[in-house]
mmCIF file of all heavy atoms in Angstrom:
data_model
loop_
_atom_site.group_PDB
_atom_site.id
_atom_site.type_symbol
_atom_site.label_atom_id
_atom_site.label_comp_id
_atom_site.label_asym_id
_atom_site.label_seq_id
_atom_site.Cartn_x
_atom_site.Cartn_y
_atom_site.Cartn_z
ATOM 1 N N ARG A 3 -1.494 22.430 -60.011
ATOM 2 C CA ARG A 3 -1.676 21.190 -59.275
ATOM 3 C C ARG A 3 -0.833 21.195 -57.991
ATOM 4 O O ARG A 3 -1.265 20.774 -56.932
ATOM 5 C CB ARG A 3 -1.287 20.013 -60.163
ATOM 6 C CG ARG A 3 -1.681 18.680 -59.556
ATOM 7 C CD ARG A 3 -1.324 17.538 -60.481
ATOM 8 N NE ARG A 3 -2.082 17.615 -61.719
ATOM 9 C CZ ARG A 3 -1.764 16.928 -62.816
ATOM 10 N NH1 ARG A 3 -0.687 16.165 -62.828
ATOM 11 N NH2 ARG A 3 -2.498 17.023 -63.912
ATOM 12 N N ARG A 8 -0.436 21.566 -52.078
ATOM 13 C CA ARG A 8 0.039 22.195 -50.841
ATOM 14 C C ARG A 8 -1.133 22.659 -49.972
ATOM 15 O O ARG A 8 -1.127 22.524 -48.762
ATOM 16 C CB ARG A 8 0.895 23.422 -51.182
ATOM 17 C CG ARG A 8 2.326 23.077 -51.565
ATOM 18 C CD ARG A 8 3.098 24.366 -51.773
ATOM 19 N NE ARG A 8 4.332 24.110 -52.470
ATOM 20 C CZ ARG A 8 4.931 24.972 -53.267
ATOM 21 N NH1 ARG A 8 4.362 26.142 -53.486
ATOM 22 N NH2 ARG A 8 6.073 24.676 -53.854
ATOM 23 N N ALA A 28 -6.527 8.439 -28.105
ATOM 24 C CA ALA A 28 -7.529 7.836 -27.226
ATOM 25 C C ALA A 28 -6.835 6.928 -26.218
ATOM 26 O O ALA A 28 -5.943 6.169 -26.586
ATOM 27 C CB ALA A 28 -8.527 7.033 -28.062
ATOM 28 N N LEU A 40 -16.423 -3.398 -16.813
ATOM 29 C CA LEU A 40 -17.624 -2.637 -16.447
ATOM 30 C C LEU A 40 -17.265 -1.437 -15.569
ATOM 31 O O LEU A 40 -17.823 -0.349 -15.734
ATOM 32 C CB LEU A 40 -18.624 -3.543 -15.712
ATOM 33 C CG LEU A 40 -19.131 -4.774 -16.473
ATOM 34 C CD1 LEU A 40 -20.101 -5.571 -15.609
ATOM 35 C CD2 LEU A 40 -19.776 -4.402 -17.800
ATOM 36 N N VAL A 52 -11.048 -0.137 -24.712
ATOM 37 C CA VAL A 52 -10.902 -1.141 -23.651
ATOM 38 C C VAL A 52 -10.804 -2.539 -24.264
ATOM 39 O O VAL A 52 -11.650 -2.928 -25.070
ATOM 40 C CB VAL A 52 -12.089 -1.100 -22.657
ATOM 41 C CG1 VAL A 52 -11.834 -2.035 -21.485
ATOM 42 C CG2 VAL A 52 -12.351 0.315 -22.170
ATOM 43 N N ARG A 73 -0.407 -8.050 -27.981
ATOM 44 C CA ARG A 73 -0.136 -6.740 -28.612
ATOM 45 C C ARG A 73 -0.871 -5.628 -27.868
ATOM 46 O O ARG A 73 -0.331 -4.561 -27.628
ATOM 47 C CB ARG A 73 -0.563 -6.752 -30.088
ATOM 48 C CG ARG A 73 0.471 -7.357 -31.035
ATOM 49 C CD ARG A 73 0.182 -6.996 -32.482
ATOM 50 N NE ARG A 73 -1.147 -7.395 -32.919
ATOM 51 C CZ ARG A 73 -1.444 -8.626 -33.350
ATOM 52 N NH1 ARG A 73 -0.504 -9.561 -33.393
ATOM 53 N NH2 ARG A 73 -2.664 -8.918 -33.738
ATOM 54 N N PHE A 82 -5.397 -3.182 -15.852
ATOM 55 C CA PHE A 82 -6.036 -3.457 -14.561
ATOM 56 C C PHE A 82 -6.316 -4.953 -14.440
ATOM 57 O O PHE A 82 -6.907 -5.555 -15.330
ATOM 58 C CB PHE A 82 -7.350 -2.677 -14.437
ATOM 59 C CG PHE A 82 -7.165 -1.180 -14.495
ATOM 60 C CD1 PHE A 82 -7.564 -0.454 -15.619
ATOM 61 C CD2 PHE A 82 -6.581 -0.499 -13.435
ATOM 62 C CE1 PHE A 82 -7.386 0.923 -15.683
ATOM 63 C CE2 PHE A 82 -6.399 0.880 -13.486
ATOM 64 C CZ PHE A 82 -6.805 1.594 -14.607
ATOM 65 N N TRP A 83 -5.889 -5.537 -13.320
ATOM 66 C CA TRP A 83 -6.179 -6.947 -13.040
ATOM 67 C C TRP A 83 -6.425 -7.108 -11.552
ATOM 68 O O TRP A 83 -6.185 -6.182 -10.779
ATOM 69 C CB TRP A 83 -5.061 -7.849 -13.560
ATOM 70 C CG TRP A 83 -3.688 -7.680 -12.936
ATOM 71 C CD1 TRP A 83 -3.009 -6.512 -12.732
ATOM 72 C CD2 TRP A 83 -2.819 -8.716 -12.470
ATOM 73 N NE1 TRP A 83 -1.772 -6.754 -12.167
ATOM 74 C CE2 TRP A 83 -1.628 -8.103 -11.993
ATOM 75 C CE3 TRP A 83 -2.911 -10.106 -12.416
ATOM 76 C CZ2 TRP A 83 -0.565 -8.833 -11.458
ATOM 77 C CZ3 TRP A 83 -1.847 -10.832 -11.895
ATOM 78 C CH2 TRP A 83 -0.696 -10.206 -11.428
ATOM 79 N N SER A 103 5.216 -0.912 -14.584
ATOM 80 C CA SER A 103 4.825 0.478 -14.305
ATOM 81 C C SER A 103 3.408 0.795 -14.779
ATOM 82 O O SER A 103 2.793 1.763 -14.328
ATOM 83 C CB SER A 103 5.808 1.440 -14.971
ATOM 84 O OG SER A 103 5.759 1.271 -16.376
ATOM 85 N N ILE A 161 -12.334 0.193 -6.255
ATOM 86 C CA ILE A 161 -11.664 -0.107 -7.526
ATOM 87 C C ILE A 161 -11.930 1.015 -8.530
ATOM 88 O O ILE A 161 -11.028 1.462 -9.236
ATOM 89 C CB ILE A 161 -12.125 -1.479 -8.086
ATOM 90 C CG1 ILE A 161 -11.648 -2.612 -7.171
ATOM 91 C CG2 ILE A 161 -11.606 -1.693 -9.510
ATOM 92 C CD1 ILE A 161 -12.210 -3.991 -7.517
ATOM 93 N N ASN A 183 -17.883 11.366 -14.314
ATOM 94 C CA ASN A 183 -18.245 9.955 -14.465
ATOM 95 C C ASN A 183 -18.163 9.205 -13.138
ATOM 96 O O ASN A 183 -19.043 8.408 -12.809
ATOM 97 C CB ASN A 183 -17.339 9.274 -15.500
ATOM 98 C CG ASN A 183 -17.583 9.784 -16.905
ATOM 99 O OD1 ASN A 183 -18.566 10.494 -17.145
ATOM 100 N ND2 ASN A 183 -16.717 9.438 -17.831
#
Side-chain angles (χ1 to χ4, degrees):
R3 190 178 296 165
R8 279 184 195 150
L40 301 180
V52 187
R73 277 196 303 277
F82 299 108
W83 63 311
S103 63
I161 293 172
N183 292 349

